Amino acid sequence: MKVLFLFETPLPDFTTHPALPEELLVMAALPQVTAIHALSPAALISGSTSLPTQLQIPFKLHQHRFSWPVGAIFYYLTWLGLLFFGRRLCRRYHFDLIQAESPHLSGLAALLLTRRYRLPFITEYRVNYPALLNFRYGPIIGGWLTLVFHTFSLFVFSRSALVAANSATLASWLKHRHPHLRVAYYHPGIKPPPITPLVSSRRNLDFLGRLHPDKGPDLFLQLISLHQTWFRAHRCHFRLAGIGPLYPQLIQYCQVHQLTDLVTFVGYVDRWTFLSQTYLLINTTLVSPALEMALIEAAALGIPSVAFGSKSMPETVISGQTGFLVPVYNLDRLFAHCRQLLTDPQLYLRFSEAAKIHAQDYTFAGQVKKLQAIYKVVYA
């Protein structure tokens, strides 16, 4: 089976960049999948319309990228590029299935391509879009955009062979909202390498994610600044792993608030190596995701987490058992739970053991089986 996967966001060069989209690795693990072709824009300002260059890499993966202008307007027109270059690829490779990263951009291109070439397509649903739109545009404009998004998404969903959510939470929500749809879920899963957590007298409280406004790294630093006296007295250190547009602003904040001895920016690093030195993971994502893979990766190593969220999201933390979830922006409760885990070794140990057990529900092998079941439904 040959699959065309459409991405509206730019992908790194698979031949030089280690961060492959991990859902492609799940697909590549299926024996019936003989080839996966990933089509995406490249973040280049260019009007070139030449056919993207095919890049050969291991694991049956083939990459195709096309030049596309940057900017918000052009981002929402990405479906045109996916449609144009996708037609060329469909004629050349004769795919058996198309998968789309989202319902609103790549999903539209997938719908039009499958109509033309009579193929089934799967639409993925990975983001808590209502929360994201409200965060970015406010409740009034965000509410209107959410209505438009749901209307358009339903149009694409109803024509998909199946809707693949990235979590049990989103799958349940979709089934409740649209009971007539075929809905299942899978995600990249976790495959921890044989790493032994490092023992150190200094306890690292860490942030792992993009340095982007919706990830809340500025609130992570505010937490440190507000309670730096206590953290210093308890030999705590803080690390931020990730890159993004807020980096200069965050560096300046540390300098102004005299946090440079408490905080280290490590940039882009191997996640597992980074987590092997983590004592407690703090997640300040402002748009509560249903799935936050960094939290379950930490759990696999027995690292509890304290995160912004609600009772059900993110599902990768069981509040009160593997970590704590606190309301967004509530830095007082965030600190209170961090202090609780830092000063109660028995509680930390209990959470650590529960986290390892919880992580067993998110294994890579388990997600391969879920995706295999999805393909069986599509071709039943």
Side-chain angles (χ1 to χ4, degrees):
M1 182 171 70
K2 291 183 287 187
V3 182
L4 173 63
F5 205 120
L6 303 180
F7 292 88
E8 62 256 21
T9 50
L11 291 181
D13 185 339
F14 291 171
T15 61
T16 60
H17 198 289
L20 289 175
E22 293 175 343
E23 60 273 13
L24 298 183
L25 300 180
V26 178
M27 296 168 64
L30 292 174
Q32 69 265 41
V33 176
T34 57
I36 305 161
H37 293 255
L39 176 64
S40 74
L44 300 173
I45 302 176
S46 171
S48 172
T49 56
S50 59
L51 185 68
T53 302
Q54 178 176 315
L55 303 175
Q56 297 287 344
I57 63 163
F59 307 116
K60 311 179 227 183
L61 301 182
H62 309 273
Q63 185 177 30
H64 310 269
R65 298 192 298 169
F66 56 90
S67 298
W68 198 252
V70 296
I73 294 177
F74 293 106
Y75 170 74
Y76 288 106
L77 294 175
T78 305
W79 66 272
L80 289 170
L82 293 171
L83 177 62
F84 179 79
F85 291 107
R87 288 183 62 183
R88 292 189 174 190
L89 294 177
C90 285
R91 287 198 299 265
R92 176 179 293 184
Y93 295 105
H94 306 288
F95 297 111
D96 302 294
L97 176 71
I98 296 178
Q99 280 185 232
E101 182 184 13
S102 76
H104 62 300
L105 295 176
S106 52
L108 176 58
L111 171 62
L112 296 174
L113 287 172
T114 53
R115 287 286 184 90
R116 173 68 177 82
Y117 296 100
R118 300 184 182 279
L119 299 172
F121 77 101
I122 293 173
T123 306
E124 300 209 354
Y125 192 82
R126 306 178 179 181
V127 179
N128 183 356
Y129 288 103
L132 180 63
L133 291 170
N134 284 331
F135 171 75
R136 289 184 176 176
Y137 302 106
I140 297 177
I141 297 177
W144 180 81
L145 290 174
T146 297
L147 178 62
V148 173
F149 173 80
H150 283 321
T151 302
F152 183 79
S153 295
L154 182 59
F155 175 78
V156 175
F157 286 156
S158 61
R159 288 155 179 80
S160 303
L162 184 140
V163 180
N166 75 340
S167 64
T169 302
L170 286 183
S172 177
W173 181 84
L174 284 169
K175 288 177 182 178
H176 177 75
R177 187 178 179 90
H178 307 295
H180 62 287
L181 295 178
R182 278 182 174 178
V183 179
Y185 77 93
Y186 85 103
H187 51 74
I190 55 172
K191 202 173 183 180
I195 289 179
T196 302
L198 300 180
V199 178
S200 172
S201 60
R202 186 177 73 174
R203 292 182 289 187
N204 290 323
L205 281 66
D206 293 337
F207 173 98
L208 176 58
R210 292 178 296 114
L211 305 184
H212 194 273
D214 62 358
K215 291 295 183 181
D218 52 335
L219 290 172
F220 179 74
L221 294 184
Q222 286 181 38
L223 171 72
I224 303 167
S225 179
L226 288 170
H227 304 283
Q228 59 178 296
T229 302
W230 190 92
F231 285 130
R232 290 181 196 277
H234 288 79
R235 299 180 60 81
C236 296
H237 190 76
F238 299 84
R239 300 182 303 159
L240 291 90
I243 55 177
L246 289 184
Y247 176 74
Q249 177 182 326
L250 298 174
I251 289 289
Q252 184 179 23
Y253 184 94
C254 288
Q255 293 170 345
V256 171
H257 293 83
Q258 300 179 339
L259 302 178
T260 52
D261 62 320
L262 273 178
V263 178
T264 301
F265 292 84
V266 300
Y268 181 83
V269 294
D270 177 77
R271 298 162 75 90
W272 295 108
T273 302
F274 176 77
L275 288 171
S276 71
Q277 303 172 46
T278 298
Y279 186 81
L280 184 64
L281 189 66
I282 300 176
N283 186 283
T284 50
T285 299
L286 300 176
V287 181
S288 297
L291 188 77
E292 190 71 81
M293 291 305 296
L295 298 175
I296 204 64
E297 289 167 350
L301 298 182
I303 302 165
S305 300
V306 182
F308 286 156
S310 61
K311 289 183 179 180
S312 60
M313 292 193 295
E315 65 181 47
T316 37
V317 173
I318 304 176
S319 192
Q321 297 182 39
T322 68
F324 290 106
L325 295 176
V326 305
V328 174
Y329 294 110
N330 195 327
L331 295 181
D332 289 337
R333 285 187 60 182
L334 197 67
F335 170 69
H337 287 310
C338 288
R339 181 176 58 189
Q340 193 175 355
L341 286 166
L342 288 166
T343 57
D344 188 340
Q346 293 302 317
L347 178 68
Y348 183 93
L349 181 60
R350 189 164 69 248
F351 276 32
S352 177
E353 293 302 318
K356 292 177 185 177
I357 295 172
H358 182 48
Q360 293 173 9
D361 293 333
Y362 293 83
T363 63
F364 178 84
Q367 301 314 307
V368 172
K369 291 179 180 178
K370 282 186 170 67
L371 184 58
Q372 192 165 38
I374 287 172
Y375 286 166
K376 285 183 179 179
V377 170
V378 170
Y379 284 98

